[in-house]
Amino acid sequence: MGQIPGCKPGLEPQAQALRPDIMVHFTAEEKAAITSLWGKMNVEEAGGEALGRLLVVYPWTQRFFDNFGNLSSPSAILGNPKVKAHGKKVLTSFGDAIKNMDNLKTTFAKLSELHCDKLHVDPENFRLLGNVLVIILATHFGKEFTPEVQAAWQKLVSAVAIALGHKYH
Amino acid sequence: MSLTKTERTIIVSMWAKISTQVDTIGTETLERLFLSYPQTKTYFPHFDLHPGSAQLRAHGSKVVAAVGDAVKSIDNIGAALSKLSELHAYILRVDPVNFKLLSHCLLVTLAARFPADFTAEAHAAWDKFLSVVSSVLTEKYR
Protein backbone atom coordinates (compact mmCIF):
# COMPACT_ATOMS: atom_id res chain seq x y z
CA MET A 1 0.00 0.00 0.00
CA GLY A 2 1.39 3.42 -0.86
CA GLN A 3 2.36 5.43 2.22
CA ILE A 4 3.57 8.98 2.78
CA PRO A 5 7.25 8.65 3.82
CA GLY A 6 7.65 9.26 7.54
CA CYS A 7 3.94 8.88 8.09
CA LYS A 8 2.70 6.22 10.50
CA PRO A 9 0.42 3.46 9.16
CA GLY A 10 -3.23 3.81 10.13
CA LEU A 11 -3.59 7.46 9.15
CA GLU A 12 -6.05 9.56 11.12
CA PRO A 13 -9.18 10.09 9.07
CA GLN A 14 -8.32 13.78 8.71
CA ALA A 15 -4.98 12.87 7.16
CA GLN A 16 -6.64 10.22 5.09
CA ALA A 17 -8.61 12.87 3.27
CA LEU A 18 -5.30 13.90 1.70
CA ARG A 19 -4.63 10.33 0.59
CA PRO A 20 -8.03 8.93 -0.41
CA ASP A 21 -6.43 5.85 -1.97
CA ILE A 22 -5.54 4.56 1.49
CA MET A 23 -8.42 2.69 3.11
CA VAL A 24 -9.23 3.47 6.74
CA HIS A 25 -8.27 0.48 8.82
CA PHE A 26 -10.19 -0.45 11.95
CA THR A 27 -8.51 -2.64 14.54
CA ALA A 28 -10.34 -5.62 16.00
CA GLU A 29 -10.88 -3.67 19.23
CA GLU A 30 -12.35 -0.71 17.36
CA LYS A 31 -14.71 -2.95 15.40
CA ALA A 32 -15.80 -4.67 18.62
CA ALA A 33 -16.41 -1.32 20.35
CA ILE A 34 -18.54 -0.20 17.42
CA THR A 35 -20.56 -3.35 16.75
CA SER A 36 -21.29 -4.09 20.39
CA LEU A 37 -22.89 -0.69 20.96
CA TRP A 38 -24.69 -0.83 17.62
CA GLY A 39 -26.23 -4.15 18.59
CA LYS A 40 -27.84 -2.57 21.65
CA MET A 41 -29.26 0.45 19.85
CA ASN A 42 -32.82 1.10 18.79
CA VAL A 43 -31.83 2.40 15.38
CA GLU A 44 -35.25 3.83 14.60
CA GLU A 45 -35.40 5.94 17.76
CA ALA A 46 -31.76 6.92 17.73
CA GLY A 47 -32.02 8.00 14.10
CA GLY A 48 -34.91 10.33 14.83
CA GLU A 49 -33.08 11.68 17.86
CA ALA A 50 -29.85 12.25 15.92
CA LEU A 51 -31.48 14.10 13.06
CA GLY A 52 -33.69 16.01 15.48
CA ARG A 53 -30.75 17.16 17.57
CA LEU A 54 -28.87 18.19 14.42
CA LEU A 55 -31.77 20.46 13.48
CA VAL A 56 -32.06 21.83 17.04
CA VAL A 57 -28.37 22.39 17.79
CA TYR A 58 -27.44 23.62 14.30
CA PRO A 59 -30.63 25.31 13.06
CA TRP A 60 -29.10 26.25 9.73
CA THR A 61 -29.21 22.55 8.81
CA GLN A 62 -32.97 22.98 8.55
CA ARG A 63 -32.29 24.46 5.12
CA PHE A 64 -32.52 20.97 3.63
CA PHE A 65 -35.92 20.24 5.12
CA ASP A 66 -38.28 23.06 4.10
CA ASN A 67 -41.02 20.55 3.35
CA PHE A 68 -40.88 18.82 6.72
CA GLY A 69 -43.59 20.94 8.33
CA ASN A 70 -43.31 22.20 11.89
CA LEU A 71 -39.70 22.76 12.96
CA SER A 72 -40.49 25.76 15.15
CA SER A 73 -39.18 24.48 18.50
CA PRO A 74 -37.07 21.65 19.92
CA SER A 75 -40.16 19.69 20.94
CA ALA A 76 -41.79 20.28 17.54
CA ILE A 77 -38.64 19.07 15.79
CA LEU A 78 -38.13 15.99 17.96
CA GLY A 79 -41.81 15.04 17.68
CA ASN A 80 -42.02 15.70 13.94
CA PRO A 81 -42.92 12.42 12.15
CA LYS A 82 -40.98 13.37 9.00
CA VAL A 83 -37.87 14.02 11.07
CA LYS A 84 -38.26 10.66 12.78
CA ALA A 85 -38.81 8.83 9.50
CA HIS A 86 -35.88 10.47 7.78
CA GLY A 87 -33.65 10.01 10.80
CA LYS A 88 -34.46 6.31 10.77
CA LYS A 89 -33.54 6.14 7.07
CA VAL A 90 -30.22 7.89 7.65
CA LEU A 91 -29.19 5.78 10.62
CA THR A 92 -30.24 2.54 8.94
CA SER A 93 -27.89 3.47 6.14
CA PHE A 94 -25.21 4.03 8.77
CA GLY A 95 -25.75 0.38 9.66
CA ASP A 96 -24.42 -0.48 6.20
CA ALA A 97 -21.24 1.35 7.13
CA ILE A 98 -20.84 -0.87 10.15
CA LYS A 99 -21.25 -4.01 8.05
CA ASN A 100 -18.65 -2.71 5.58
CA MET A 101 -16.11 -0.88 7.71
CA ASP A 102 -13.22 -1.99 5.50
CA ASN A 103 -14.88 -0.79 2.33
CA LEU A 104 -16.68 2.46 3.07
CA LYS A 105 -15.84 4.33 -0.12
CA THR A 106 -17.42 1.67 -2.34
CA THR A 107 -20.35 1.16 0.03
CA PHE A 108 -21.26 4.86 -0.07
CA ALA A 109 -20.30 5.68 -3.68
CA LYS A 110 -23.89 5.95 -4.91
CA LEU A 111 -25.07 7.84 -1.82
CA SER A 112 -22.14 10.21 -2.24
CA GLU A 113 -23.19 11.02 -5.79
CA LEU A 114 -26.77 11.50 -4.63
CA HIS A 115 -25.79 13.92 -1.85
CA CYS A 116 -23.70 15.95 -4.29
CA ASP A 117 -25.72 15.94 -7.48
CA LYS A 118 -29.30 15.78 -6.26
CA LEU A 119 -29.34 16.83 -2.61
CA HIS A 120 -26.56 19.46 -2.77
CA VAL A 121 -25.50 18.84 0.82
CA ASP A 122 -22.28 20.46 2.05
CA PRO A 123 -20.16 17.57 3.42
CA GLU A 124 -19.58 19.62 6.58
CA ASN A 125 -23.09 18.49 7.53
CA PHE A 126 -21.92 14.86 7.62
CA ARG A 127 -19.33 15.82 10.22
CA LEU A 128 -21.94 17.67 12.28
CA LEU A 129 -24.33 14.71 12.19
CA GLY A 130 -21.53 12.30 13.08
CA ASN A 131 -20.68 14.31 16.19
CA VAL A 132 -24.33 14.57 17.18
CA LEU A 133 -24.57 10.78 16.88
CA VAL A 134 -21.55 10.40 19.16
CA ILE A 135 -23.22 12.60 21.75
CA ILE A 136 -26.41 10.57 21.57
CA LEU A 137 -24.40 7.40 22.13
CA ALA A 138 -22.92 9.07 25.21
CA THR A 139 -26.38 9.85 26.62
CA HIS A 140 -27.57 6.28 25.96
CA PHE A 141 -24.53 4.39 27.19
CA GLY A 142 -23.05 6.67 29.86
CA LYS A 143 -20.01 5.14 31.52
CA GLU A 144 -19.89 2.39 28.90
CA PHE A 145 -19.10 5.08 26.33
CA THR A 146 -15.50 5.27 27.48
CA PRO A 147 -12.87 7.47 25.85
CA GLU A 148 -11.60 4.40 23.97
CA VAL A 149 -15.07 3.53 22.68
CA GLN A 150 -15.62 7.16 21.69
CA ALA A 151 -12.34 7.20 19.76
CA ALA A 152 -13.46 4.18 17.72
CA TRP A 153 -16.78 5.84 16.93
CA GLN A 154 -15.12 9.16 16.05
CA LYS A 155 -12.97 7.25 13.58
CA LEU A 156 -16.06 5.62 12.07
CA VAL A 157 -18.17 8.77 11.76
CA SER A 158 -15.21 10.60 10.29
CA ALA A 159 -14.58 7.81 7.76
CA VAL A 160 -18.28 7.74 6.82
CA ALA A 161 -18.25 11.52 6.31
CA ILE A 162 -15.19 11.21 4.08
CA ALA A 163 -16.76 8.34 2.10
CA LEU A 164 -19.95 10.36 1.58
CA GLY A 165 -17.90 13.29 0.31
CA HIS A 166 -15.67 11.19 -1.88
CA LYS A 167 -17.66 11.51 -5.12
CA TYR A 168 -18.21 15.25 -4.89
CA HIS A 169 -17.13 17.22 -7.90
CA MET B 1 -23.78 35.24 18.66
CA SER B 2 -25.17 35.92 22.12
CA LEU B 3 -26.93 33.68 24.60
CA THR B 4 -30.66 34.00 25.28
CA LYS B 5 -32.03 34.15 28.81
CA THR B 6 -33.27 30.57 28.53
CA GLU B 7 -29.88 29.36 27.37
CA ARG B 8 -28.16 31.12 30.26
CA THR B 9 -30.56 29.51 32.75
CA ILE B 10 -29.89 26.05 31.32
CA ILE B 11 -26.13 26.54 31.50
CA VAL B 12 -26.07 27.96 35.01
CA SER B 13 -28.27 25.17 36.36
CA MET B 14 -26.19 22.40 34.79
CA TRP B 15 -23.05 24.08 36.06
CA ALA B 16 -24.31 23.51 39.62
CA LYS B 17 -24.01 19.75 38.98
CA ILE B 18 -20.72 20.04 37.06
CA SER B 19 -19.07 22.06 39.82
CA THR B 20 -19.21 19.06 42.16
CA GLN B 21 -17.14 16.98 39.70
CA VAL B 22 -14.72 19.52 38.24
CA ASP B 23 -11.65 17.29 38.60
CA THR B 24 -13.06 14.12 37.11
CA ILE B 25 -14.94 15.92 34.34
CA GLY B 26 -11.77 17.79 33.40
CA THR B 27 -9.67 14.65 33.35
CA GLU B 28 -12.23 12.69 31.34
CA THR B 29 -12.59 15.50 28.81
CA LEU B 30 -8.87 15.60 28.17
CA GLU B 31 -8.62 11.80 27.97
CA ARG B 32 -11.35 11.84 25.35
CA LEU B 33 -9.58 14.63 23.46
CA PHE B 34 -6.20 12.91 23.35
CA LEU B 35 -7.64 9.52 22.36
CA SER B 36 -10.04 10.71 19.65
CA TYR B 37 -7.78 13.48 18.34
CA PRO B 38 -4.18 12.41 18.95
CA GLN B 39 -2.85 15.45 17.11
CA THR B 40 -3.93 17.57 20.10
CA LYS B 41 -1.18 15.92 22.12
CA THR B 42 1.32 17.99 20.15
CA TYR B 43 0.53 20.88 22.49
CA PHE B 44 1.66 18.85 25.51
CA PRO B 45 5.07 17.36 24.76
CA HIS B 46 6.10 18.32 28.29
CA PHE B 47 3.24 16.43 29.97
CA ASP B 48 2.79 12.88 31.19
CA LEU B 49 -0.48 12.10 29.43
CA HIS B 50 -1.09 8.60 30.78
CA PRO B 51 -4.54 8.09 32.33
CA GLY B 52 -4.28 8.93 36.02
CA SER B 53 -1.37 11.32 35.55
CA ALA B 54 -1.31 14.16 38.07
CA GLN B 55 -0.55 16.67 35.31
CA LEU B 56 -3.56 15.53 33.32
CA ARG B 57 -5.80 15.88 36.37
CA ALA B 58 -4.42 19.32 37.24
CA HIS B 59 -4.77 20.59 33.72
CA GLY B 60 -8.26 19.17 33.30
CA SER B 61 -9.36 20.93 36.50
CA LYS B 62 -7.88 24.17 35.26
CA VAL B 63 -9.77 23.97 31.96
CA VAL B 64 -13.14 23.16 33.56
CA ALA B 65 -12.62 25.82 36.25
CA ALA B 66 -12.11 28.37 33.47
CA VAL B 67 -15.38 27.24 31.90
CA GLY B 68 -16.89 27.81 35.33
CA ASP B 69 -15.52 31.36 35.38
CA ALA B 70 -17.28 31.95 32.08
CA VAL B 71 -20.52 30.54 33.53
CA LYS B 72 -20.26 32.77 36.61
CA SER B 73 -19.84 35.82 34.37
CA ILE B 74 -22.14 34.58 31.67
CA ASP B 75 -23.34 38.11 30.95
CA ASN B 76 -19.80 39.22 30.16
CA ILE B 77 -17.64 36.30 29.16
CA GLY B 78 -15.21 38.56 27.30
CA ALA B 79 -14.26 40.39 30.46
CA ALA B 80 -14.06 37.22 32.57
CA LEU B 81 -11.71 35.45 30.15
CA SER B 82 -9.70 38.46 28.99
CA LYS B 83 -6.42 37.25 30.54
CA LEU B 84 -6.94 33.74 29.19
CA SER B 85 -7.67 35.21 25.80
CA GLU B 86 -4.30 36.99 25.81
CA LEU B 87 -2.57 33.85 27.02
CA HIS B 88 -3.96 31.83 24.12
CA ALA B 89 -3.21 34.53 21.55
CA TYR B 90 0.34 35.42 22.50
CA ILE B 91 1.78 32.47 24.42
CA LEU B 92 -0.12 29.25 23.76
CA ARG B 93 -1.24 29.96 20.19
CA VAL B 94 -3.37 26.83 20.00
CA ASP B 95 -4.78 26.53 16.49
CA PRO B 96 -8.44 27.60 16.55
CA VAL B 97 -9.65 24.28 15.15
CA ASN B 98 -8.78 22.64 18.46
CA PHE B 99 -11.35 24.62 20.44
CA LYS B 100 -14.08 22.79 18.54
CA LEU B 101 -12.48 19.45 19.35
CA LEU B 102 -12.16 20.21 23.07
CA SER B 103 -15.70 21.60 23.19
CA HIS B 104 -17.03 18.43 21.56
CA CYS B 105 -15.21 16.23 24.09
CA LEU B 106 -16.58 18.27 26.98
CA LEU B 107 -20.10 17.89 25.56
CA VAL B 108 -19.60 14.11 25.26
CA THR B 109 -18.42 13.99 28.89
CA LEU B 110 -21.47 15.96 30.06
CA ALA B 111 -23.78 13.80 27.93
CA ALA B 112 -22.33 10.61 29.42
CA ARG B 113 -22.53 11.85 33.03
CA PHE B 114 -25.81 13.76 32.95
CA PRO B 115 -27.90 12.01 30.27
CA ALA B 116 -31.26 13.05 31.71
CA ASP B 117 -30.21 16.71 31.89
CA PHE B 118 -28.50 16.75 28.51
CA THR B 119 -31.67 17.24 26.49
CA ALA B 120 -31.60 18.58 22.94
CA GLU B 121 -32.16 22.06 24.35
CA ALA B 122 -29.35 21.73 26.87
CA HIS B 123 -27.10 20.33 24.14
CA ALA B 124 -27.85 23.34 21.94
CA ALA B 125 -27.27 25.81 24.80
CA TRP B 126 -23.93 24.25 25.78
CA ASP B 127 -22.72 23.93 22.21
CA LYS B 128 -23.49 27.62 21.68
CA PHE B 129 -21.95 28.64 25.02
CA LEU B 130 -18.70 26.79 24.33
CA SER B 131 -18.66 28.33 20.88
CA VAL B 132 -18.86 31.78 22.50
CA VAL B 133 -16.07 30.85 24.93
CA SER B 134 -13.93 29.65 22.01
CA SER B 135 -14.53 32.90 20.13
CA VAL B 136 -13.45 34.91 23.16
CA LEU B 137 -10.29 32.84 23.52
CA THR B 138 -9.33 33.34 19.87
CA GLU B 139 -10.46 36.93 19.39
CA LYS B 140 -6.98 38.41 19.89
CA TYR B 141 -5.21 35.96 17.57
CA ARG B 142 -4.78 38.54 14.82
Side-chain angles (χ1 to χ4, degrees):
Chain A
M1 241 196 309
Q3 285 189 340
I4 302 170
C7 206
K8 280 168 30 170
L11 289 183
E12 310 309 334
Q14 300 92 318
Q16 206 235 320
L18 301 171
R19 288 295 302 274
D21 53 305
I22 295 180
M23 302 296 267
V24 177
H25 172 70
F26 293 88
T27 65
E29 291 79 12
E30 286 166 343
K31 287 185 181 180
I34 290 163
T35 53
S36 80
L37 252 56
W38 187 257
K40 300 184 207 175
M41 279 173 69
N42 178 331
V43 172
E44 173 166 354
E45 262 179 35
E49 213 186 324
L51 185 62
R53 282 206 186 216
L54 182 77
L55 300 175
V56 168
V57 178
Y58 309 108
W60 54 94
T61 58
Q62 293 170 24
R63 69 190 297 285
F64 301 107
F65 303 107
D66 279 338
N67 63 337
F68 267 29
N70 187 3
L71 299 179
S72 60
S73 70
S75 52
I77 291 170
L78 292 164
N80 183 310
K82 285 191 173 179
V83 170
K84 289 185 187 186
H86 194 67
K88 176 184 174 186
K89 196 183 200 180
V90 169
L91 209 59
T92 303
S93 166
F94 212 88
D96 290 340
I98 294 179
K99 290 191 210 105
N100 294 283
M101 273 189 265
D102 296 324
N103 196 10
L104 291 174
K105 294 224 162 81
T106 314
T107 304
F108 284 107
K110 280 268 168 308
L111 266 180
S112 179
E113 283 171 11
L114 179 79
H115 280 76
C116 173
D117 299 331
K118 295 277 179 316
L119 303 178
H120 311 294
V121 175
D122 178 349
E124 179 59 23
N125 292 285
F126 308 143
R127 287 172 254 292
L128 291 179
L129 182 62
N131 280 340
V132 167
L133 179 60
V134 164
I135 285 176
I136 281 170
L137 291 172
T139 62
H140 285 207
F141 293 104
K143 264 187 128 111
E144 201 181 338
F145 199 65
T146 62
E148 289 78 9
V149 170
Q150 179 192 351
W153 274 91
Q154 295 291 168
K155 195 167 165 180
L156 177 65
V157 301
S158 175
V160 169
I162 289 170
L164 277 173
H166 187 61
K167 292 287 191 188
Y168 274 57
H169 59 99
Chain B
M1 223 182 347
S2 81
L3 299 161
T4 66
K5 244 186 171 168
T6 312
E7 287 162 349
R8 291 171 207 219
T9 307
I10 289 172
I11 287 157
V12 168
S13 80
M14 200 181 279
W15 177 256
K17 296 195 175 184
I18 295 169
S19 61
T20 63
Q21 301 177 30
V22 165
D23 278 14
T24 46
I25 286 177
T27 308
E28 186 181 325
T29 298
L30 290 181
E31 278 174 4
R32 290 184 182 279
L33 181 71
F34 296 138
L35 268 175
S36 284
Y37 309 106
Q39 69 274 19
T40 56
K41 293 189 288 185
T42 56
Y43 291 97
F44 300 95
H46 53 301
F47 264 33
D48 167 13
L49 295 178
H50 291 104
S53 118
Q55 282 180 311
L56 201 59
R57 200 165 49 244
H59 197 68
S61 292
K62 222 185 213 180
V63 169
V64 176
V67 171
D69 290 341
V71 174
K72 284 173 212 130
S73 299
I74 202 163
D75 297 325
N76 195 352
I77 297 172
L81 299 188
S82 171
K83 283 268 170 315
L84 260 186
S85 178
E86 284 171 10
L87 181 74
H88 282 77
Y90 306 129
I91 316 288
L92 301 177
R93 292 171 290 184
V94 173
D95 191 285
V97 73
N98 295 288
F99 292 97
K100 282 195 180 184
L101 304 181
L102 180 64
S103 298
H104 174 65
C105 289
L106 178 55
L107 293 180
V108 172
T109 302
L110 297 182
R113 286 173 178 248
F114 309 109
D117 300 280
F118 208 72
T119 60
E121 239 177 332
H123 178 173
W126 273 91
D127 190 291
K128 190 171 166 183
F129 169 66
L130 292 177
S131 179
V132 170
V133 169
S134 302
S135 290
V136 166
L137 291 177
T138 55
E139 81 189 345
K140 296 173 187 175
Y141 268 39
R142 55 177 169 174

